[in-house]
Amino acid sequence: MADHKNLPHHFLLSLSLLSILAVSQPDRTKDLVSLRSSSESGVIRLKNDTVSKFITSVPTPRPYSLIIFFNSIDLNSKTLQELRAEFGFASSSFLANNNNRSDVANKLFFCEIDSSDSEAFHLFAVQSLPAMCLVDPLMENPQDQEVKIDEYDFDGTAESVAEFVERRTNFTVGPINRPPLLSKPQISVIAALLVISTPFLIRKVLKGETFLHDTRVWLYGAVLVYFFSVSGIMHNIIKSVPMFFRDEEDSNKLVFFYEGPGYQLWGEGLSVGFLYNLVGLLLAYVTSALVRVRNVNEQRVVMMLAMAISLLAVKKVVYLDNWKTGYQIQTYWPSSWH
Amino acid sequence: MGGKEDPTANGSPKSESMAGKKASPPDLLSSISLKSLKLKTKQQELLLRVSILGLVYVLAFIARLFSVLRYESMIHEFDPYFNYRTTLFLTEKGFYEFWNWFDSESWYPLGRIIGGTLYPGLMVTAALIYWTLRFLRFFVHIREVCVLTAPFFASNTTLVAYFFGKEIWDTGAGLVAAALIAICPGYISRSVAGSYDNEAVAIFALLLTFYLFVKAVKTGSLSWALASAFGYFYMVSAWGGYVFIINLIPLYVLVLLITARYSLRLYVAYNCMYILGMLLAMQIRFVGFQHVQSGEHMGAMGVFLLMQVFYFLDWVKHQLNDTKLFQTFLRITVTSAILVGGIALGVGTASGYISPWTGRFYSLLDPTYAKDHIPIIASVSEHQPTAWSSFMFDYHILLFLFPAGLYFCFKRLSDATIFIVMYGLTSLYFAGVMVRLILVATPAVCLISAIAVSATVKNLTSLLRTKQKVPQTGSTKGAGSSKSSSKVTLDQSQPFQKNGAIALLVGVFYLLSRYAIHCTWVTSEAYSSPSIVLAARGAHGNRIIFDDYREAYYWLRQNTPTDAKVMSWWDYGYQITAMGNRTVIVDNNTWNNTHIATVGRAMSSYEDEAYDIMRSLDVNYVLVVFGGVTGYSSDDINKFLWMVRIGGGVYPVIKEPDYLVNGEFRVDKGASPKMLNCLMYKLCYYRFGELVTEYGKPTGYDRARGVEIGNKDIKLEHLEEAYTTSNWIVRIYRVKPPTNRL
């Protein structure tokens, strides 16, 4: 390394003179800042052209460091997207914790490169994902192994990203702020619902007929618990499954139903659980409430509808079950019937 | 098959209506034939009911015989082999020998106190049946008794289900419930002939206890409460799942207290059941003082004390006439009772008198707990959470009927229906957390669905009948059990209703017949496999049987020294001791995690490191299960990551990432070097590289994982191949003695 030190310096002097003439360096930082402010959680998406603009064509020492996450949307990997989210948390926490210190905040930028920008992707000679690298101000060769973040340094959490940044640069990321479970619009919707329902609730309580005294509420609760159990929500929580997959071949196609027993996605469990309850409650309604309806036509229509819906729902669920478990149910007839 | 029984369940009201018309001339012929039989309406109904129950009883038994017909009369799976071995011991040596048995053949070098670490209910039951048969001069082998114990108790469960259904709804619901539970796959999965496991007896005991308790609450009689305490005792002696009872019943009592349904009947039923049940349960050595000390049982004790407070308050209220005074008194008593209870619980837990919850129980309440903290629980496939398809597979049409049943229960709330709703919902929640608990939920699902079927069919048939005899509504009103529902519909007699009702009835029977088909099919194809003998379909659709397990175990029995110690993963421990009659290091009773982790560490270390561990455990033979030749997927390579996890949980030198490549578990060329050279890999794939398993594939093609293995040139240094079964499923290696140091 020592032998090479002089050479870059000479080279650098001449280059920096040139570059001062062409584009002044603070502009690049400004560009990065504006890009960062327009991107989600402050992670700049680098493309083929921007990589050369901010990395390869900038003479060292660059006035900033970049930490790059290599992503691949087409790969549809859940773990990779989780890592990407953690990377985003590290980025947003870094910004939030150094909000009023532009000397720090504008020296380190969190970026990502997607595999669709193959030129930029190959520039760093990334062989496998997940991969990250740190472009410090003096970095010359992007293919250098020192640039890469060691696998052992990154255990998949935002904290480990922060730790790495603090070890390799002089910046501190600070505590990681993860977003709360409910976002602000969600909280406001819930609050609005609460406010609207309060007068009704108060009236009820004053009347002495709270919902706890109503068996119907308990019935709904029971049905809900039932729904919760049989649609496999516990499975979804324990195994933390996604709502759906993206098709491996076509990333625009969504897969809601997973073939094979012992695993399921959120969507399928919920829809099947809904069908169970639909048929069951229709049956209860038809046999005990509908008979009290006076209007014959109404009865007729509702009953036909209920029967048609039930038939379709049962058929659908049985079909799905056979498809999912791979079993084909057959009847055993006495052998003389064949 | 079961579905066909259902229509007859509702045959009873029909026959009543026939009898009701006796006087009219057109029915003369039938009335004559009836008269010649000399049966009154009630007798007819009874006859029908008894014959249906008898058929259901037989049906429940024979539906479970598929496994015997398909294979042979043998014990299934893993745990049943231990049960079989202990039952054999019990019948040969007698009860006291059995009770004091120290088994040195398992958990070498620790051994295991069998009498103190098992639930003896199953073995004692089987032994009693065996002795009874011997006494009656039926000389059967104990194995046949063991094989058929589960179907026998399943048949008995149908009877209990009938009485339970009768108790919570009516006789119709009882009959339907009996028919449904007789063939419900959720129950059959654990009670086919040969699955000689605790659950086989326990579900019967569970339902019986619940039934007797509900009966006790309803009648307030001491004798029913006493009976339920004995039912509970039987349950405790049979299965660890009794914890469910001792938590559900107090919860139920608590709910009754909150909903102002407290009565002296409840007081008598619960107190008697709790106190006697507790005293009896403590006689089981495995439970012992846990029943008053462990956190899982504290709820029952708390409710017991609460009952006393309620009774006391009732008494005080009776004594004091001043309501204001009573209110103050009430406030003080309730606060101080809660305070004292809380302090007692806190002190008990802090001082160690009350032990905290066990991992399995805890993982039910906080389902993500086991996944993160206890690999030995998370590794078992039956402890996995349930996907919707498993529910559908095990309950089929009942899932559609259940919400309707809930609705009917809420329409007619009583102490009994509250109980069944609570039982159904809690057990279904637990079933969602762990696949194996579907079994516990099955009786409740069958009962509630039976209520739905019975209520629906009864409503519809009464609709049909009122149509026919509008002028004689009076006689229908008197018709025994269908009183309440027919009252609702009597005033409705539009012409359309008949057709609608017929259509709906046809629909319901169609559904039930689908259920019967599903159950029969599932029983024969999915749940009757003994898993010790594997079956596969050949290229021409013919059946191929792999009997490698027994081959290997008999080899061990015949060809190894009697004091040889065999090391294998814990899954096969029970089978090796029962069939191979050799000492094992670990087995399916996973009581010592460290010992299992030691085996896991040996399996995942390099050969020379593993050799030291094996020497320290005096291991003579190592047994691995390998499915690469046959495509059998639940072999040791597929279980290997769990060995690493469990081993790594105790010995941090074992790290899971060392065996993975980019988070992926591989055995081919891209596998991690540690994986390619660990003991398990070497033992499974030794000489496999020379073998062509599939036409058109290279040598060493693993059919279970569909890859060509990465290390074909395996040399063993400290072990040598002793025996490999005909399909390579079980491979046994001999551990060489240390080389002579001279």
Side-chain angles (χ1 to χ4, degrees), chain A residues 226 264 268 280 288 291 332, chain B residues 367 371 388 399-400 407 492 524:
Chain A
Y226 174 69
Q264 68 170 39
E268 58 178 297
S288 74
V291 282
Y332 289 108
Chain B
K371 190 179 122 191
W388 71 266
L399 287 174
F400 294 106
Y407 175 82
Q492 320 266 320
S524 81

Side-chain angles (χ1 to χ4, degrees), chain B residues 270-490:
Chain B
Y270 184 70
N271 285 341
C272 174
M273 190 263 165
Y274 177 67
I275 293 294
L276 265 175
M278 179 179 72
L279 289 177
L280 286 169
M282 286 168 73
Q283 309 309 309
I284 305 295
R285 267 165 71 196
F286 196 24
V287 177
F289 276 93
Q290 266 185 53
H291 207 285
V292 282
Q293 285 187 341
S294 93
E296 290 136 345
H297 303 82
M298 281 303 124
M301 191 180 276
V303 170
F304 172 71
L305 295 176
L306 198 66
M307 285 294 272
Q308 312 315 317
V309 173
F310 256 77
Y311 187 75
F312 178 65
L313 285 177
D314 232 31
W315 179 74
V316 170
K317 197 178 177 183
H318 186 71
Q319 298 289 318
L320 291 176
N321 292 322
D322 189 357
T323 42
K324 234 183 189 173
L325 209 63
F326 177 68
Q327 289 291 333
T328 333
F329 178 74
L330 186 75
R331 220 169 293 144
I332 294 168
T333 342
V334 169
T335 328
S336 53
I338 291 172
L339 261 177
V340 168
I343 290 170
L345 196 68
V347 170
T349 317
S351 63
Y353 266 108
I354 301 171
S355 62
W357 290 342
T358 57
R360 245 172 232 165
F361 192 73
Y362 200 76
S363 70
L364 280 178
L365 299 176
D366 175 16
T368 45
Y369 179 79
K371 190 179 122 191
D372 301 334
H373 297 98
I374 325 168
I376 207 146
I377 290 182
S379 75
V380 182
S381 68
E382 56 188 22
H383 291 164
Q384 299 302 312
T386 320
W388 71 266
S389 57
S390 309
F391 278 113
M392 189 64 198
F393 200 66
D394 279 355
Y395 293 143
H396 200 67
I397 228 71
L398 304 184
L399 287 174
F400 294 106
L401 297 171
F402 191 89
L406 275 184
Y407 175 82
F408 286 114
C409 284
F410 274 93
K411 286 281 276 191
R412 209 169 96 182
L413 271 186
S414 66
D415 288 356
T417 49
I418 290 179
F419 179 80
I420 195 69
V421 167
M422 285 183 58
Y423 173 27
L425 292 180
T426 46
S427 59
L428 267 177
Y429 166 75
F430 292 140
V433 180
M434 268 191 207
V435 171
R436 73 188 300 203
L437 293 180
I438 282 190
L439 177 73
V440 176
T442 303
V445 172
C446 286
L447 279 165
I448 294 183
S449 305
I451 291 175
V453 173
S454 173
T456 306
V457 171
K458 189 163 280 170
N459 279 354
L460 295 174
T461 46
S462 65
L463 231 151
L464 284 181
R465 271 181 298 130
T466 46
K467 192 69 214 94
Q468 285 163 353
K469 13 176 229 161
V470 178
Q472 1 172 324
T473 39
S475 71
T476 329
K477 257 186 184 164
S481 47
S482 61
K483 249 186 281 177
S484 56
S485 48
S486 55
K487 252 186 235 163
V488 182
T489 46
L490 269 181

